[in-house]
Amino acid sequence: MQSEKLRLRKIQHLAHEITDKMNKGEELTHSETLIPIIDNLSRAIGDLTDSYGKYSLDYVEEKVKNAHTLLFNKEKIDVYL
């Protein structure tokens, strides 16, 4: 099993790729894609900011991967799992 530190670095890398793509200046007007991307990222951030410090790395990893997959059109996924 991967260490938590390695998993967090991979999540961070995916988040940076998402940020880079969003800031390229390309016009992203597909709201049917952008809404689930934002939803997944918001859920990941919401889980990480739990006031008790209890978060699920699996959940955060899944949501960031879902957002990345949607933005880069890699494969179809069920974004609301």
Side-chain angles (χ1 to χ4, degrees):
M1 186 171 146
Q2 296 177 343
S3 73
E4 186 172 316
K5 193 173 187 178
L6 181 59
R7 289 174 69 193
L8 285 168
R9 291 189 90 174
K10 286 183 178 183
I11 292 168
Q12 183 182 41
H13 177 75
L14 292 174
H16 285 152
E17 284 187 352
I18 291 168
T19 302
D20 290 345
K21 174 99 174 176
M22 298 298 282
N23 288 323
K24 270 189 176 177
E26 298 173 10
E27 191 170 329
L28 299 171
T29 58
H30 304 291
S31 62
E32 67 275 356
T33 302
L34 290 178
I35 290 170
I37 289 169
I38 293 166
D39 180 65
N40 276 277
L41 293 173
S42 297
R43 289 173 188 271
I45 291 168
D47 201 55
L48 280 173
T49 58
D50 179 87
S51 60
Y52 295 105
K54 295 182 181 185
Y55 63 90
S56 167
L57 187 55
D58 291 334
Y59 183 81
V60 172
E61 187 174 38
E62 174 191 340
K63 294 303 174 187
V64 173
K65 281 182 180 179
N66 285 351
H68 187 273
T69 298
L70 285 166
L71 186 60
F72 288 91
N73 299 318
K74 290 190 176 183
E75 61 185 58
K76 292 192 180 215
I77 56 172
D78 185 354
V79 295
Y80 294 104
L81 283 179

